[in-house]
Short mmCIF file of all heavy atoms in Angstrom, two decimals:
data_model
loop_
_atom_site.label_atom_id
_atom_site.label_comp_id
_atom_site.label_asym_id
_atom_site.label_seq_id
_atom_site.Cartn_x
_atom_site.Cartn_y
_atom_site.Cartn_z
N MET A 115 89.33 227.58 61.72
CA MET A 115 89.58 227.20 63.15
C MET A 115 91.00 226.82 63.34
O MET A 115 91.56 226.36 62.35
CB MET A 115 88.67 225.92 63.36
CG MET A 115 88.72 225.29 64.77
SD MET A 115 87.84 223.83 64.87
CE MET A 115 88.89 222.60 64.18
N VAL A 125 91.54 215.11 68.45
CA VAL A 125 90.18 215.29 68.74
C VAL A 125 89.42 213.98 68.40
O VAL A 125 88.19 213.94 68.40
CB VAL A 125 89.56 216.47 67.98
CG1 VAL A 125 90.29 217.79 68.40
CG2 VAL A 125 89.52 216.29 66.50
N GLY A 126 90.15 212.97 68.02
CA GLY A 126 89.60 211.65 67.86
C GLY A 126 89.13 211.39 66.39
O GLY A 126 89.08 212.35 65.65
N HIS A 128 86.80 211.08 63.38
CA HIS A 128 85.51 211.67 63.24
C HIS A 128 85.33 212.04 61.73
O HIS A 128 86.24 211.95 60.95
CB HIS A 128 85.37 212.96 64.03
CG HIS A 128 86.33 214.07 63.63
ND1 HIS A 128 87.57 214.13 63.98
CD2 HIS A 128 86.01 215.16 62.86
CE1 HIS A 128 88.14 215.25 63.45
NE2 HIS A 128 87.18 215.87 62.72
N TYR A 129 84.18 212.47 61.41
CA TYR A 129 84.04 213.04 60.02
C TYR A 129 83.18 214.39 60.20
O TYR A 129 82.56 214.62 61.10
CB TYR A 129 83.23 212.08 59.16
CG TYR A 129 81.77 211.91 59.35
CD1 TYR A 129 80.90 212.59 58.68
CD2 TYR A 129 81.28 211.06 60.40
CE1 TYR A 129 79.50 212.53 58.96
CE2 TYR A 129 79.84 210.90 60.63
CZ TYR A 129 78.99 211.74 59.88
OH TYR A 129 77.67 211.52 60.17
N ASP A 130 83.40 215.22 59.27
CA ASP A 130 82.77 216.49 59.13
C ASP A 130 81.75 216.45 57.98
O ASP A 130 82.08 215.77 56.93
CB ASP A 130 83.77 217.69 59.02
CG ASP A 130 84.72 217.67 60.20
OD1 ASP A 130 84.27 217.62 61.31
OD2 ASP A 130 85.95 217.69 59.95
N TYR A 132 81.44 218.92 56.05
CA TYR A 132 81.90 220.04 55.09
C TYR A 132 83.32 219.77 54.67
O TYR A 132 84.10 219.05 55.35
CB TYR A 132 81.86 221.36 55.79
CG TYR A 132 80.51 221.66 56.47
CD1 TYR A 132 80.32 221.66 57.82
CD2 TYR A 132 79.41 221.79 55.58
CE1 TYR A 132 79.15 221.94 58.38
CE2 TYR A 132 78.17 222.00 56.21
CZ TYR A 132 78.07 222.08 57.60
OH TYR A 132 76.80 222.28 58.11
N VAL A 134 87.28 220.53 54.18
CA VAL A 134 88.21 221.27 54.92
C VAL A 134 89.65 221.12 54.30
O VAL A 134 90.09 220.04 53.98
CB VAL A 134 88.16 220.86 56.47
CG1 VAL A 134 88.55 219.34 56.55
CG2 VAL A 134 88.95 221.66 57.33
N LEU A 136 93.28 221.21 55.76
CA LEU A 136 93.97 221.22 57.05
C LEU A 136 95.36 221.52 56.78
O LEU A 136 96.18 220.92 56.15
CB LEU A 136 93.97 219.73 57.59
CG LEU A 136 92.53 219.22 57.85
CD1 LEU A 136 92.56 217.68 58.05
CD2 LEU A 136 91.98 219.84 59.21
N TRP A 145 98.18 212.42 60.11
CA TRP A 145 96.75 212.36 59.73
C TRP A 145 96.49 211.02 59.16
O TRP A 145 97.17 210.55 58.31
CB TRP A 145 96.37 213.43 58.80
CG TRP A 145 96.15 214.81 59.32
CD1 TRP A 145 96.99 215.79 59.35
CD2 TRP A 145 94.97 215.20 60.14
NE1 TRP A 145 96.49 216.95 59.99
CE2 TRP A 145 95.16 216.48 60.57
CE3 TRP A 145 93.78 214.60 60.44
CZ2 TRP A 145 94.34 217.22 61.29
CZ3 TRP A 145 92.84 215.30 61.20
CH2 TRP A 145 93.10 216.63 61.55
N VAL A 185 90.34 217.40 52.94
CA VAL A 185 89.52 216.30 53.21
C VAL A 185 88.09 216.59 52.79
O VAL A 185 87.50 217.69 53.15
CB VAL A 185 89.51 216.02 54.71
CG1 VAL A 185 88.60 214.83 55.08
CG2 VAL A 185 90.95 215.86 55.25
N MET A 189 84.32 212.15 54.85
CA MET A 189 85.49 211.28 54.94
C MET A 189 85.98 211.18 56.34
O MET A 189 86.36 212.32 56.99
CB MET A 189 86.60 211.59 53.92
CG MET A 189 87.74 210.74 54.08
SD MET A 189 88.98 210.88 52.81
CE MET A 189 88.40 209.52 51.68
N HIS A 191 88.52 211.11 59.31
CA HIS A 191 89.96 211.52 59.48
C HIS A 191 90.33 211.65 61.04
O HIS A 191 89.48 211.70 61.83
CB HIS A 191 90.23 212.90 58.85
CG HIS A 191 89.20 214.00 59.08
ND1 HIS A 191 87.94 214.02 58.65
CD2 HIS A 191 89.40 215.09 59.82
CE1 HIS A 191 87.28 215.15 59.08
NE2 HIS A 191 88.20 215.78 59.89
N TRP A 192 91.57 211.54 61.19
CA TRP A 192 92.03 211.33 62.66
C TRP A 192 93.48 211.86 62.68
O TRP A 192 94.46 211.27 62.13
CB TRP A 192 92.05 209.90 62.95
CG TRP A 192 92.22 209.56 64.39
CD1 TRP A 192 92.57 210.43 65.42
CD2 TRP A 192 92.29 208.20 64.99
NE1 TRP A 192 92.75 209.65 66.64
CE2 TRP A 192 92.53 208.37 66.34
CE3 TRP A 192 92.12 206.87 64.45
CZ2 TRP A 192 92.66 207.28 67.16
CZ3 TRP A 192 92.20 205.82 65.29
CH2 TRP A 192 92.42 206.02 66.70
N SER A 203 92.44 225.07 60.08
CA SER A 203 91.43 224.28 59.40
C SER A 203 90.65 225.36 58.64
O SER A 203 89.82 226.06 59.25
CB SER A 203 90.45 223.61 60.39
OG SER A 203 91.11 222.55 61.04
CO1 CO B 402 87.58 217.29 61.22
#
Side-chain angles (χ1 to χ4, degrees):
M115 179 182 80
V125 303
H128 67 282
Y129 74 96
D130 301 307
Y132 308 109
V134 64
L136 298 163
W145 279 103
V185 183
M189 174 167 269
H191 51 288
W192 187 1
S203 299

